[in-house]
């Protein structure tokens, strides 16, 4: 499911992406409704204010926070595993995750691992019904990979 409180952006995404996937994409009437049965949440907003509460989520979830200001601090702090791309880089951002680091609410010892360790298998990813919060802020290569994928999809859409 997808939700966006502004205009028809979510509908436009559904229409643009649906032809390229067998996974059904549906519009949700609210953010809370969108999250009710989700075990994977990708927050990708701009200018968000904290609104995602821990009780909106299942017992087991994976959050990839492309924009971490969507979450109230308790949501991040309720994770069983905190993963980031680079702890030092994340601490230099002015997002909720870095504010929690600067305040001492999240210490280096609370970080389960970095994204590279998980991808390379040096540390395990999901091991059971866990709550995992991934804060990937700071990886330009991720932006490039996503941009390449979007361009490829756009190219196929324009060719059709």
């Amino acid at each position: 499911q997808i939700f966006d409180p502004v205009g028809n952006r979510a509908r436009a995404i559904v229409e643009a992406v649906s032809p390229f996937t067998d996974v059904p994409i549906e519009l949700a009437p609210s953010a809370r409704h969108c999250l009710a049965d989700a075990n994977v949440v990708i927050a990708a907003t701009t200018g968000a204010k904290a609104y995602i509460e821990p009780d909106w989520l299942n017992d087991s979830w994976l959050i990839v926070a492309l924009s971490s200001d969507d979450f109230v601090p308790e949501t991040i702090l309720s994770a069983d595993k905190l993963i980031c791309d680079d702890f030092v880089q994340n601490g230099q951002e002015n997002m909720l995750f870095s504010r929690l680091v600067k305040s001492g609410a999240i210490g280096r010892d609370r970080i389960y691992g970095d994204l590279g360790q998980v991808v390379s298998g040096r540390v395990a990813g999901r091991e059971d019904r866990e709550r995992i919060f991934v804060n990937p802020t700071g990886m330009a290569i991720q932006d490039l990979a996503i941009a390449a994928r979007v361009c490829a999809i756009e190219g196929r859409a324009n060719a059709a």
Side-chain angles (χ1 to χ4, degrees):
Q1 292 187 345
I2 184 171
F3 174 75
D4 190 326
V6 179
N8 289 320
R9 294 186 303 193
R11 183 175 309 285
I13 291 170
V14 169
E15 291 170 2
V17 175
S18 290
F20 301 100
T21 180
D22 293 331
V23 176
I25 303 171
E26 301 170 352
L27 293 173
S30 69
R32 186 173 188 160
H33 185 270
C34 190
L35 300 173
D37 295 320
N39 63 353
V40 176
V41 176
I42 301 172
T45 63
T46 57
K49 293 183 173 47
Y51 63 97
I52 298 177
E53 302 277 345
D55 65 341
W56 290 16
L57 302 163
N58 286 330
D59 293 336
S60 174
W61 43 258
L62 166 66
I63 291 174
V64 179
L66 302 180
S67 53
S68 70
D69 282 344
D70 298 88
F71 305 92
V72 298
E74 294 78 15
T75 302
I76 297 173
L77 296 172
S78 72
D80 298 312
K81 292 181 178 176
L82 293 174
I83 299 170
C84 58
D85 55 353
D86 181 272
F87 184 75
V88 174
Q89 174 69 28
N90 287 161
Q92 296 173 0
E93 301 290 332
N94 190 28
M95 305 290 276
L96 176 58
F97 189 89
S98 58
R99 293 192 304 270
L100 290 170
V101 169
K102 289 175 186 172
S103 75
I106 295 176
R108 178 82 166 155
D109 61 331
R110 180 73 166 81
I111 304 301
Y112 172 74
D114 65 45
L115 203 50
Q117 291 172 316
V118 174
V119 170
S120 69
R122 289 182 30 216
V123 299
R126 180 174 302 281
E127 296 176 283
D128 200 3
R129 296 189 45 81
E130 299 166 310
R131 296 178 312 267
I132 301 173
F133 188 91
V134 180
N135 190 60
T137 305
M139 289 189 67
I141 192 68
Q142 177 185 8
D143 297 336
L144 292 172
I146 292 169
R149 183 72 177 137
V150 168
C151 287
I153 290 171
E154 274 295 312
R156 288 196 305 245
N158 291 333

